[in-house]
Amino acid sequence: MAIKKIQSALISVYSKDKLDAIVKLLGAHGVTIYSTGGTQKFVEEQGVPVTAVEDITSYPSILGGRVKTLHPKVFGGILSRRDHELDQKQITEYEIPSIDLVIVDLYPFEATVASGATEPDIIEKIDIGGISLIRAAAKNFKDVVIISSMTQYEELESILKENECGTTLAQRRKFAAEAFDVSSHYDSSIFNYFNQEEGIERLKVSQQEAKVLRYGENPHQKGVFYGPLQQLFEQLHGKEISYNNLVDMDAAVSLIEEFEGETAFAILKHTNACGVATGATVKEAYLKAFQADTISAFGGVLVANKEVDLSAAEEINKLFCEVLIAPAFSADALALLKSKKNRILLVQKEKLKGQKQFKSLLNGVIAQDRNCVTDTEKDLKVVTKLVPTQDQIDAMLFASKVCKHTKSNAIVLANNGQLFSSGVGQTSRVDALKQAIEKAKAFGFDLKGSVMASDAFFPFADCVEIAHQEGVQAAIQPGGSVRDQDSIDFCDEHGMAMVFTGTRHFKH
């Protein structure tokens, strides 16, 4: 493929890091360099000749630097088609120099927003000239190379060395595609900043980091994760994280966040908890969680909210698990857990930040706020004659936290900071309860004195009737059925306590 030599370049960047090698390389090949302000000074410091943009345009940088490169003599040199007779005639007539390479690094808008800066400072970091240069050069990729991010400097340097300061059309087209990625992401970030206040119903999601996965949910499906996963986790050991691992990891960290201020442990399988418990230590919490379902725990995703020490690790190491997440691992615990070469060990570095959830559906996308409501004691409305004890209240709030993160229809049976069992994803609430009862009995739990949580209201009294037969003493549910009174009356007649939260926790 033909190599097009670079004879002139415009460089206008915010960050000068790692730019020196490219400047010197261009200078060594006799490339004419145009620049402005701080970038011009930087080029001069490298001992490379540079022409000020002002010398081309005959206009100085004005409006406090807001207008520097926005001029026909700059954009004409970038947009002119080298094989277009009229373009070249006008270039000659108006004495416009051709520009073969444009290097731009935009003002750091996102970083400025993230820093908590004032709105005036944020607005000043909306790049105008830079974004215009990117779009112009990318549009004319047939003749012009566009470098739109400092992350491309090393690649450009390698290409220029290999091609004697030239590029192929394929290389220029690739850089153009990446440039439009930069510009669209930049504009999306600006829109999303303004839209925090304006509330325009538009969806602009842009992620510039991507990790191709081994496959998707099944081996015949392609899978990709978009986003900065390394900001949330540090992988200390194990195989490559899979699509299904990521789905379960999301469910795991969402669930464990419910237990802030307590020592908690959870075991998940296909996004549902098969074991959850609190305890005085991580070891105790793990053993209680494992007791709830010693079968489903095999191959699960495990999560703790406190450092995993050696005593906990010795118990966990007996189980085959795909992933173990914790805020920290003691050195001896880590050494032991690494004995299984494929076991994924992750340190969670920060909490989940996203407040929105998205799902592709039909021919579009649906979005909703994350369910950030956690039922607390002040939310409870006692609707029965029997007032629950403090121990029962604590048990119900524990069960409600687990139920919130369980696929609907969901029923959770629990007591004393321990999940006994759950009925998950059933088409009727009665079936979910029956499943939970059967499972609790299978793993040796006595339901007498336990509590029951439901993710939505009881449409009939049948659930409290069945639960009462098994010894359940208290129930927590949102309430809101036209037949709530039927369930209340049954509880009153049979000495059960029941509370309403007023908040439904469907999960699909």
Side-chain angles (χ1 to χ4, degrees):
M1 190 173 289
I3 303 293
K4 187 179 187 302
K5 298 295 183 180
I6 295 172
Q7 298 179 327
S8 57
L10 171 63
I11 307 176
S12 179
V13 299
Y14 182 83
S15 174
K16 285 79 177 173
D17 291 348
K18 300 182 180 180
L19 184 63
D20 54 336
I22 291 175
V23 168
K24 291 174 183 177
L25 184 58
L26 294 173
H29 283 273
V31 174
T32 300
I33 297 177
Y34 304 101
S35 192
T36 62
T39 307
Q40 178 187 342
K41 181 181 179 183
F42 176 83
V43 175
E44 291 170 342
E45 290 171 350
Q46 309 310 307
V48 176
V50 58
T51 300
V53 168
E54 291 91 332
D55 293 342
I56 304 174
T57 65
S58 300
Y59 272 88
S61 173
I62 61 174
L63 306 182
R66 281 188 166 198
V67 180
K68 291 181 284 191
T69 57
L70 294 169
H71 194 281
K73 282 203 171 183
V74 174
F75 281 84
I78 295 170
L79 285 164
S80 67
R81 291 160 288 187
R82 278 41 166 189
D83 60 355
H84 193 280
E85 184 178 347
L86 181 58
D87 281 10
Q88 293 309 303
K89 181 180 178 181
Q90 290 179 330
I91 286 291
T92 302
E93 179 183 355
Y94 296 111
E95 299 180 338
I96 298 173
S98 293
I99 297 173
D100 303 320
L101 167 66
V102 175
I103 301 177
V104 176
D105 180 56
L106 298 171
Y107 291 163
F109 178 81
E110 286 182 283
T112 304
V113 173
S115 73
T118 63
E119 179 150 294
D121 288 336
I122 290 170
I123 297 305
E124 287 307 310
K125 288 299 185 289
I126 297 177
D127 205 311
I128 303 301
I131 206 78
S132 302
L133 291 170
I134 286 175
R135 291 179 62 84
K139 177 176 180 176
N140 201 26
F141 68 88
K142 185 177 179 182
D143 297 305
V144 180
V145 186
I146 174 60
I147 298 301
S148 53
S149 169
M150 61 183 297
T151 61
Q152 299 169 319
Y153 290 173
E154 289 185 12
E155 182 181 3
L156 176 65
E157 182 183 357
S158 175
I159 288 172
L160 296 184
K161 286 180 177 178
E162 181 180 345
N163 296 335
E164 292 292 318
C165 206
T167 60
T168 66
L169 178 60
Q171 289 166 340
R172 294 193 296 277
R173 195 180 195 283
K174 174 178 176 291
F175 281 130
E178 292 172 343
F180 285 119
D181 171 50
V182 168
S183 66
S184 63
H185 178 80
Y186 198 77
D187 284 341
S188 292
S189 299
I190 295 169
F191 169 78
N192 287 331
Y193 167 75
F194 278 96
N195 207 37
Q196 291 177 97
E197 184 172 326
E198 302 306 326
I200 302 168
E201 292 301 335
R202 299 290 186 273
L203 177 62
K204 298 285 190 296
V205 179
S206 178
Q207 291 288 354
Q208 291 190 296
E209 295 187 49
K211 178 179 175 56
V212 177
L213 307 172
R214 285 175 289 165
Y215 49 80
E217 204 162 10
N218 299 292
H220 62 277
Q221 295 170 270
K222 180 182 178 181
V224 183
F225 177 83
Y226 297 97
L229 189 63
Q230 73 282 352
Q231 289 184 11
L232 188 60
F233 296 110
E234 178 185 359
Q235 183 168 354
L236 303 180
H237 182 70
K239 63 183 179 180
E240 185 179 350
I241 297 171
S242 72
Y243 179 100
N244 291 327
N245 290 154
L246 288 166
V247 174
D248 283 335
M249 286 160 51
D250 176 71
V253 297
S254 296
L255 172 58
I256 208 69
E257 281 186 2
E258 300 286 350
F259 297 97
E260 188 172 359
E262 302 176 87
T263 299
F265 203 100
I267 305 170
L268 288 88
K269 202 75 169 288
H270 298 292
T271 74
N272 291 305
C274 54
V276 186
T278 57
T281 65
V282 174
K283 176 182 177 180
E284 180 188 342
Y286 165 72
L287 289 174
K288 288 170 65 179
F290 179 64
Q291 185 183 12
D293 188 340
T294 58
I295 297 175
S296 296
F298 183 86
V301 169
L302 282 56
V303 61
N305 65 353
K306 297 289 174 65
E307 179 182 275
V308 174
D309 58 17
L310 181 60
S311 62
E314 287 172 339
E315 295 296 334
I316 295 169
N317 197 52
K318 298 173 185 177
L319 174 70
F320 167 73
C321 65
E322 286 274 327
V323 181
L324 173 58
I325 306 167
F329 297 85
S330 67
D332 47 5
L334 185 60
L336 175 62
L337 293 167
K338 282 184 175 181
S339 63
K340 305 291 176 64
K341 69 175 184 178
N342 288 328
R343 179 187 284 147
I344 298 168
L345 302 177
L346 299 172
V347 170
Q348 185 177 353
K349 298 189 286 186
E350 59 183 36
K351 292 183 178 181
L352 294 174
K353 291 182 178 179
Q355 296 301 307
K356 292 285 186 181
Q357 293 176 318
F358 307 95
K359 182 185 292 186
S360 61
L361 187 137
L362 299 175
N363 61 343
V365 175
I366 54 174
Q368 67 172 355
D369 297 333
R370 280 185 66 201
N371 183 358
C372 295
V373 175
T374 298
D375 298 326
T376 64
E377 189 167 349
K378 66 180 178 61
D379 300 317
L380 305 184
K381 177 183 178 182
V382 179
V383 294
T384 51
K385 295 176 182 177
L386 184 63
V387 176
T389 66
Q390 188 61 51
D391 285 344
Q392 288 175 329
I393 289 172
D394 293 342
M396 287 190 289
L397 291 175
F398 171 90
S400 176
K401 291 175 181 178
V402 178
C403 198
K404 170 185 168 182
H405 294 271
T406 304
K407 191 174 290 290
S408 302
N409 286 310
I411 292 288
V412 165
L413 301 174
N415 207 4
N416 299 319
Q418 182 181 26
L419 171 66
F420 286 178
S421 63
S422 56
V424 305
Q426 298 301 301
T427 52
S428 89
R429 203 154 299 284
V430 169
D431 285 346
L433 175 57
K434 289 179 177 178
Q435 182 189 56
I437 292 169
E438 181 181 353
K439 191 170 184 180
K441 289 180 177 179
F443 289 97
F445 287 102
D446 183 358
L447 294 178
K448 289 183 175 60
S450 65
V451 303
M452 170 175 64
S454 175
D455 61 334
F457 63 64
F458 296 129
F460 306 101
D462 45 12
C463 281
V464 289
E465 292 172 6
I466 295 168
H468 170 69
Q469 292 170 11
E470 300 298 332
V472 174
Q473 291 295 304
I476 181 171
Q477 58 138 320
S481 168
V482 295
R483 301 186 66 170
D484 276 344
Q485 196 60 46
D486 292 353
S487 295
I488 295 170
D489 290 344
F490 180 88
C491 290
D492 285 341
E493 292 166 8
H494 295 83
M496 287 181 67
M498 186 160 63
V499 297
F500 287 178
T501 64
T503 301
R504 190 180 72 185
H505 292 295
F506 269 167
K507 183 186 177 191
H508 294 101

